[in-house]
Each structure stands twice: as C-alpha cells, then as structure tokens.
C-alpha cells in the first residue's frame, strides 16, 4: 500500500472516488456533483502549493483520496492553518491502514507548511461518532460544529 501525491493521469480514477464521497456526504442533497467542474478544480489544484491532493493505492487500485488547503487565519494572517477538505476510503479498504496513512500525510504536509493548526472534518452521518473518537485519540479536540442552510438552488 502506498500514499502519494495525485497526478493528472490519476484524474479518471480519482474522480470516481470523489463522486462516491460526494454521494455518501450529506452535501449531495444540497449541491450536486459537477464532474467537469471538479476535474478543472483538481487539475488547477495540482499546480497550487496551497492545495494538497493525495491518493492511497493497494495493488495499483486507488482505494482512498484526500485533500487539504493551507491558508492564513483571518484574525492573524501571519498564522497558517490547514483545513482537510476531503478524506475518503472505499468501504472495502476501510481497516486496511490506508486511511491512517492518508491522515499522516495531511499531518506531515501541515508541518511542512509550518501550519499552526490542522482542522479535520467529520461528516454528520452514521460514522460521525467513530470519526470523533479517531480524532480525539489522535490528539484533536472538538472546536465547533458546522450548520448548513440552502439559500438558493444550485441548478
């Protein structure tokens, strides 16, 4: 099993998992998945040092994807923070160690960027408590909860 930076040639397989993540996320009922738009975002992000995109492979099959963004904190722009944007494993690869390796990749990338803090997200779904426990065991503490309200239709 390896975790590595994603490349342009990974896009066709990567996007399949990105759409699976979206469909499993509560967000799918609010904003639809735009494959062309995601592809453009993905390709531009590969060339942006503020965005990290990785994948996990087992036997040459992509089984996990993750991405993160580094940015200055609005109330103290000299402090950088990293926000995990997505972290997804195929159901059959859960428990394989791929998730832990991707998690470590985001942490290492955060350190390389001299970030003061790393924010990880847990979707509000059936795995929320499991993710909360995982984060707490890894040294994270709860900070806030996010709420969403659709204000216009995305279509």
């Amino acid at each position: 099993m390896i975790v590595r930076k994603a490349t342009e040639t990974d896009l066709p397989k990567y996007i399949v998992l990105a759409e699976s993540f979206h469909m499993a996320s509560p967000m799918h009922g609010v904003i639809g998945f735009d494959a062309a738009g995601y592809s453009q975002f993905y390709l531009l992000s590969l060339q942006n040092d503020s965005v990290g995109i990785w994948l996990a492979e087992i036997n040459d099959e992509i089984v996990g994807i993750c991405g993160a963004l580094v940015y200055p904190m609005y109330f103290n722009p000299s402090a950088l923070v990293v926000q995990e944007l997505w972290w997804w494993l195929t159901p059959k690869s859960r428990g394989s160690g791929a998730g832990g390796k991707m998690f470590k990749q985001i942490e290492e990338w955060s350190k390389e960027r001299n970030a003061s803090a790393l924010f990880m997200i847990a979707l509000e779904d059936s795995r929320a408590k499991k993710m909360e426990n995982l984060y707490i065991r890894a040294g994270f503490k709860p900070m806030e909860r996010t709420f969403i309200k659709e204000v216009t239709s995305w279509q």
Side-chain angles (χ1 to χ4, degrees):
M1 170 194 349
I2 62 167
V3 172
R4 62 173 176 81
K5 284 186 147 197
T7 67
E8 286 185 27
T9 58
D10 295 317
L11 177 58
K13 292 180 182 177
Y14 200 103
I15 199 167
V16 171
L17 270 68
E19 187 167 14
S20 295
F21 168 69
H22 178 264
M23 289 306 296
S25 160
M27 183 59 79
H28 83 273
V30 179
I31 299 174
F33 189 80
D34 172 9
Y38 183 86
S39 296
Q40 183 179 19
F41 167 82
Y42 175 95
L43 294 171
L44 289 172
S45 295
L46 292 178
Q47 304 188 26
N48 183 340
D49 288 338
S50 296
V51 182
I53 300 179
W54 304 273
L55 57 84
E57 288 180 319
I58 298 176
N59 299 324
D60 295 322
E61 177 186 355
I62 298 175
V63 298
I65 59 173
C66 63
L69 172 69
V70 62
Y71 58 93
M73 184 51 79
Y74 67 93
F75 57 78
N76 182 348
S78 65
L80 297 176
V81 295
V82 169
Q83 172 72 57
E84 170 250 338
L85 299 173
W86 65 89
W87 180 30
W88 173 253
L89 288 167
T90 59
K92 72 178 184 179
S93 68
R94 293 177 186 157
S96 68
K101 285 190 173 195
M102 289 191 312
F103 182 74
K104 289 292 182 195
Q105 179 62 57
I106 293 173
E107 280 189 303
E108 287 304 312
W109 189 75
S110 300
K111 291 174 186 174
E112 291 167 7
R113 300 287 179 286
N114 293 316
S116 299
L118 168 58
F119 298 103
M120 296 294 288
I121 301 168
L123 296 175
E124 201 63 44
D125 63 10
S126 63
R127 297 176 44 84
K129 188 65 179 169
K130 182 176 184 168
M131 295 309 298
E132 177 183 346
N133 292 337
L134 184 145
Y135 291 145
I136 288 171
R137 282 192 313 270
F140 288 78
K141 58 186 174 190
M143 189 174 77
E144 62 184 37
R145 292 187 71 162
T146 301
F147 297 85
I148 188 168
K149 177 181 180 182
E150 188 174 353
V151 294
T152 59
S153 175
W154 58 272
Q155 295 180 355

